[in-house]
Amino acid sequence: MRKRTEPVALEHECHAASGSSSAGSAAAALDADCRLKQNLCLTGPGPAEPRCAADAGMKRALGRRKGLCFRLRKILLCVVGLYVAIPLLIKLCPGIQAKLIFLNFVRVPYFIDLKKPQDQGLNHTCNYYLQPEEDVTLGVWHTVPAVWWKNAQGKDQMWYEDALASSHPIILYLHGNAGTRGGDHRVELYKVLSSLGYHVVTFDYRGWGDSVGTPSEQGMTYDALHVFDWIKARSGDNPVYIWGHSLGTGVATNLVRRLCERETPPDALVLESPFTNIREEAKSHPFSVIYRYFPGFDWFFLDPITSSGIQFANDENVKHISCSLLILHAEDDPVVPFQLGRKLYNIAALSRSFQDFKVQFIPFHSDLGYRHKYIYKSPELPRILRCPPLVQGIPGEVGTRAPALSVTRHLKEHEDVCPCPPLPLASPAP
């Protein structure tokens, strides 16, 4: 019995040993598999990982595009909203339109002292102030003829006022919107007119430059009337001409109409770059291009002008004016279209009020580049001004109408417009 049981025990021990060895090998295999997975994680991404990164990059690019499109849509909505809001704002606040017409808050050139016209090269000019109404003060420049520049040095206001009674004619200049009486192109025109032997009296309307008051069409017209009466009280029998430029043409025709109604007309009226009326000018202005075809343009933009009491109806005023008229307009004028100046001339030429007076239209070719405010550069301007209507007493000129001819660089063609002989020029101020 003992011999038989020993082999069985030995067999059990062998089986136990083999079981334990197989369990150990399985555990070892499991450990090896875990280490392999750890190594794979540490060594980097597998073959499927790059595709995931590319997908993430595409998602980020699409996100950026969506963000950009969102921002563009937002900007576009803001622009459209502003485009629609501006007409509504102007309709609700008509005063904005008046500010845009007058532009009296735009003072150019900046940093000049209007009390010192000599700083602008006008060393024969005096600055003084007039008061047409209580709480209204007007800054005035009076430039004497250039031949007197030496005598004018150091003289006071009284000397300048007495000089108006000399034999030299006087031009009352009414400037346009924006800027002051010291604007560059305005100063250059004063110099040209002074060199031709004219007194030049100009001023800033109430609310412009250093003048005190609130701008309005009625107030501007009254200012011009007050300065005209001030001149006539000192000029004796000397001829007085009214010269208006751009918006100043509206003031000029308002003034001259009132003077003619009270039977004290000026000796002549000069309109440089005129329009027919403020509604047509506003509709033709370059700033109105983006709204010109806006639904209800007249109601949104033009009716507020009328409701503010602004008309400047040159086309209506010329029907009541009885004095000689000269219109100057450049064909390349970008502010007041040339067609408006010609239309105003046609209205004046057919008016009965001008039957006994000369009406003249002088267009300047676009090649000359005079645009809106550089007609003073024309070398033919002296001859134009020395011909009727600014020169009186020439036989055969009263009651005639001059044809509208283009002014060119050729003197021969210009002689057809101004048949009178040239006069010697005065020496300009140094």
Side-chain angles (χ1 to χ4, degrees):
M1 285 297 294
R2 188 175 179 183
K3 291 183 180 179
R4 181 174 179 86
T5 56
E6 288 179 357
V8 175
L10 183 61
E11 182 178 358
H12 281 292
E13 291 177 0
C14 291
H15 280 294
S18 62
S20 62
S21 63
S22 61
S25 62
L30 182 60
D31 293 340
D33 185 55
C34 292
R35 285 195 298 271
L36 178 61
K37 289 181 178 180
Q38 290 178 355
N39 292 334
L40 289 175
C41 293
L42 293 174
T43 53
E49 193 70 18
R51 183 179 301 174
C52 296
D55 291 343
M58 291 178 63
K59 289 181 180 179
R60 285 194 296 269
L62 290 174
R64 285 195 295 269
R65 291 179 184 177
K66 289 181 180 179
L68 179 60
C69 293
F70 176 77
R71 287 193 293 270
L72 290 176
R73 283 197 300 267
K74 188 175 180 180
I75 292 173
L76 181 60
L77 288 175
C78 291
V79 172
V80 173
L82 183 62
Y83 180 79
V84 175
I86 288 177
L88 295 174
L89 184 63
I90 290 177
K91 184 64 179 179
L92 295 174
C93 304
I96 296 177
Q97 199 66 317
K99 289 285 186 180
L100 295 177
I101 290 174
F102 296 141
L103 290 178
N104 58 300
F105 56 89
V106 179
R107 178 171 175 170
V108 289
Y110 297 98
F111 310 118
I112 69 169
D113 188 354
L114 293 173
K115 296 180 181 179
K116 299 179 179 179
Q118 60 271 20
D119 292 346
Q120 310 304 311
L122 298 172
N123 54 2
H124 49 300
T125 299
C126 183
N127 174 78
Y128 36 81
Y129 296 91
L130 302 178
Q131 191 169 12
E133 294 178 344
E134 187 179 358
D135 299 329
V136 175
T137 304
L138 307 179
V140 182
W141 280 0
H142 174 197
T143 303
V144 297
V147 292
W148 288 2
W149 76 270
K150 287 185 178 179
N151 294 334
Q153 303 307 305
K155 297 299 191 298
D156 58 7
Q157 178 178 338
M158 187 62 65
W159 182 89
Y160 276 86
E161 292 185 20
D162 293 340
L164 290 172
S166 66
S167 58
H168 293 266
I170 303 161
I171 290 180
L172 172 58
Y173 179 78
L174 305 174
H175 67 69
N177 66 351
T180 67
R181 63 188 183 274
D184 294 339
H185 64 283
R186 295 161 186 165
V187 169
E188 294 304 318
L189 178 62
Y190 309 155
K191 294 177 181 179
V192 171
L193 298 177
S194 174
S195 70
L196 297 176
Y198 294 100
H199 290 273
V200 182
V201 178
T202 186
F203 67 97
D204 281 319
Y205 315 105
R206 59 185 71 189
W208 271 261
D210 57 352
S211 297
V212 179
T214 302
S216 68
E217 180 179 356
Q218 183 178 2
M220 295 164 68
T221 303
Y222 187 79
D223 294 343
L225 179 62
H226 179 81
V227 177
F228 178 85
D229 289 341
W230 180 86
I231 293 172
K232 290 296 291 183
R234 292 158 177 77
S235 62
D237 295 332
N238 285 347
V240 179
Y241 310 124
I242 309 296
W243 185 309
H245 172 246
S246 191
L247 188 66
T249 63
V251 182
T253 60
N254 284 346
L255 168 63
V256 177
R257 178 176 177 175
R258 292 188 62 174
L259 294 176
C260 292
E261 288 175 349
R262 75 178 193 183
E263 298 182 354
T264 57
D267 294 274
L269 172 63
V270 181
L271 300 179
E272 180 188 356
S273 305
F275 49 86
T276 49
N277 57 71
I278 197 63
R279 288 178 69 97
E280 289 192 5
E281 162 56 16
K283 196 168 186 176
S284 305
H285 199 278
F287 289 164
S288 68
V289 172
I290 60 175
Y291 284 105
R292 197 168 296 165
Y293 303 103
F294 188 86
F297 176 85
D298 289 7
W299 188 77
F300 279 108
F301 291 94
L302 303 185
D303 290 350
I305 298 176
T306 306
S307 64
S308 298
I310 303 174
Q311 296 181 352
F312 291 116
N314 290 338
D315 50 355
E316 183 63 26
N317 288 337
V318 295
K319 299 176 183 178
H320 304 274
I321 288 176
S322 53
C323 69
S324 297
L325 174 64
L326 172 63
I327 297 178
L328 310 173
H329 213 136
E331 293 179 354
D332 58 340
D333 191 330
V335 178
V336 180
F338 176 78
Q339 291 77 10
L340 294 185
R342 183 177 289 280
K343 181 178 180 180
L344 181 64
Y345 165 73
N346 292 333
I347 294 172
L350 298 175
S351 175
R352 293 182 179 181
S353 64
F354 285 105
Q355 287 182 351
D356 297 329
F357 300 95
K358 188 179 181 70
V359 180
Q360 207 171 4
F361 180 77
I362 306 294
F364 294 84
H365 198 275
S366 57
D367 291 343
L368 299 172
Y370 295 153
R371 297 172 67 78
H372 183 61
K373 55 185 180 181
Y374 300 111
I375 289 179
Y376 73 86
K377 293 183 178 181
S378 173
E380 292 147 356
L381 185 61
R383 288 180 56 82
I384 295 172
L385 298 183
R386 285 201 170 99
C387 295
L390 291 193
V391 174
Q392 296 179 329
I394 297 181
E397 290 297 328
V398 177
T400 63
R401 295 180 185 274
L405 299 176
S406 296
V407 176
T408 67
R409 294 185 180 88
H410 302 289
L411 187 60
K412 184 175 182 296
E413 184 174 350
H414 183 67
E415 289 175 350
D416 294 334
V417 181
C418 297
C420 57
L423 301 178
L425 295 178
S427 301

